[in-house]
Amino acid sequence: MGDKRTDRAFIGSFTSSGGRGIVVAAVEPATGALTEIGVVNALPDPSYLTVDHAGPGPVLYAVSETARGSVAAYDIAGPEPRPIGVPVAVRGEAPTHLTVVREHLLTANYGSGSVTVLPLGTDGSPGSASDVRHCEGSGPDRARQSGPHAHQVLSDPSGRWVLAVDLGADKVSVFSLDTREGKLTLNGETSLRPGTGPRHLAFHPSGSHAYVLGELEPSVIVCRWDAVAGVLEPVRTTPLFPDGTGEAVSPSAPVVSPDGRHLWVAVRGTDTISVLALDAAGEHAEPVASVPCGGRWPRDLVLQPSSTRLYAANERSGEVTWLDVDPATGIPHRAGSLPVPAASCVVFV
């Protein structure tokens, strides 16, 4: 797979739609250009990835977004990803997101509407599920909201709380995690307007606000976040298409700039990136521009660490596009792309 690289990207894809598994790419520091250096094809539909640096070395985790969902771990300290153990069942259907919280791996299982906790071994390997928290609820969209659909699970910036975003039930649940038992305890729930279909959320760098992205109702819900009490409070909703456009669009991923001045949202259907300006407090989000994402159906959008460069995983056109961002305006401009069939997610090391 080549020499060891300190600047690498790992790209997930849907093998059921022609993807080749996890594509490994070298990152050119000056330009952000990606060059493929290998492929790991050991897991069906590795649609979402995350990297944990807290253990003995960097570990890459991947979901297998299948009916019998599972997760896999890879040691990426060397030049080639090395499997750690074997894939482990999450006891849930179609896991779409995962994160590491205090030596535990958590997955959001879209198909079964649940959140799974798996303790991690000293080598980073996930163990058998210690908890599966089944969500409850539904929404008015009969095709998409007949039951709960957990779409994202993540820790808040303080590390005290775990939040689960449920597209099917129009809510965000806040849990505490007992790391001794590997169990989740519900702290509270934030209900959103019926039909919103929340998909993902992103925190402001200050940790005082969060931005919940509505997939079914294309919008950004600005919320205050109380890290002491673990309470998420909606403040205002900003439509991504104030003119009423949006019936055939499907927002996918929100990204906040490190300086807290800009919010970017990938929008499938229009195949664009919406640029929103944030005020100093992070409480107002104002749409200022919409630019092409460089492909079709941007399923994921991510900011390269320590840079002003965005990467869009364009699932249906089969490439990852990188875009340079004007630091003053926050407006991205396409700079290049790498062919990746059925691309779904990008993470960096």
Side-chain angles (χ1 to χ4, degrees):
M1 191 171 289
D3 297 332
K4 180 177 178 180
R5 311 257 184 167
T6 55
D7 296 287
R8 287 177 294 170
F10 295 87
I11 304 163
S13 69
F14 286 100
T15 57
S16 59
S17 298
R20 294 178 293 146
I22 301 172
V23 173
V24 187
V27 184
E28 179 15 73
T31 65
L34 301 179
T35 302
E36 182 179 322
I37 56 176
V39 177
V40 179
N41 186 13
L43 192 71
D45 287 344
S47 66
Y48 203 85
L49 315 172
T50 193
V51 175
D52 180 40
H53 294 89
V59 177
L60 175 73
Y61 295 99
V63 299
S64 177
E65 191 177 333
T66 58
R68 302 177 66 179
S70 62
V71 292
Y74 301 89
D75 180 347
I76 53 173
E80 298 185 11
R82 179 181 61 83
I84 304 174
V86 297
V88 177
V90 300
R91 292 165 51 194
E93 299 175 9
T96 59
H97 193 270
L98 79 173
T99 191
V100 175
V101 182
R102 288 176 284 153
E103 300 177 343
H104 289 76
L105 184 65
L106 283 73
T107 67
N109 310 314
Y110 181 87
S112 52
S114 59
V115 176
T116 299
V117 182
L118 305 101
L120 295 176
T122 55
D123 62 350
S125 60
S128 299
S130 57
D131 194 14
V132 180
R133 185 78 189 214
H134 291 277
C135 308
E136 297 180 355
S138 60
D141 188 325
R142 294 183 180 180
R144 298 291 307 278
Q145 297 184 305
S146 60
H149 291 301
H151 212 303
Q152 183 192 37
V153 61
L154 74 165
S155 173
D156 82 309
S158 75
R160 296 182 58 186
W161 306 100
V162 171
L163 291 84
V165 183
D166 194 321
L167 184 148
D170 289 319
K171 66 183 179 182
V172 178
S173 299
V174 180
F175 300 94
S176 60
L177 174 64
D178 182 335
T179 55
R180 288 188 177 185
E181 299 293 330
K183 303 289 186 183
L184 292 170
T185 299
L186 183 65
N187 184 69
E189 295 178 339
T190 298
S191 296
L192 303 174
R193 184 162 58 194
T196 297
R199 178 183 175 93
H200 281 197
L201 69 77
F203 281 97
H204 189 273
S206 67
S208 62
H209 290 81
Y211 309 95
V212 181
L213 181 61
E215 176 178 339
L216 303 183
E217 182 181 86
S219 59
V220 171
I221 301 92
V222 181
C223 301
R224 294 192 187 101
W225 171 245
D226 184 339
V228 176
V231 174
L232 189 71
E233 176 193 2
V235 178
R236 58 181 49 83
T237 297
T238 300
L240 290 177
F241 299 93
D243 61 358
T245 304
E247 289 186 3
V249 305
S250 181
S252 61
V255 177
V256 183
S257 64
D259 62 8
R261 297 176 56 218
H262 306 292
L263 170 66
W264 300 287
V265 175
V267 184
R268 298 169 295 184
T270 57
D271 298 330
T272 55
I273 298 173
S274 293
V275 184
L276 296 91
L278 301 176
D279 68 348
E283 195 151 306
H284 292 267
E286 183 70 25
V288 295
S290 179
V291 301
C293 69
R296 289 190 296 113
W297 211 250
R299 184 179 177 86
D300 189 33
L301 185 68
V302 63
L303 188 71
Q304 182 187 6
S306 304
S307 81
T308 53
R309 190 171 292 117
L310 288 165
Y311 291 76
N314 299 314
E315 181 184 352
R316 293 186 180 175
S317 52
E319 81 271 295
V320 172
T321 303
W322 52 95
L323 306 97
D324 294 331
V325 177
D326 184 315
T329 65
I331 296 176
H333 303 276
R334 184 185 184 279
S337 66
L338 173 71
V340 180
S344 59
C345 173
V346 184
V347 296
F348 291 92
V349 178

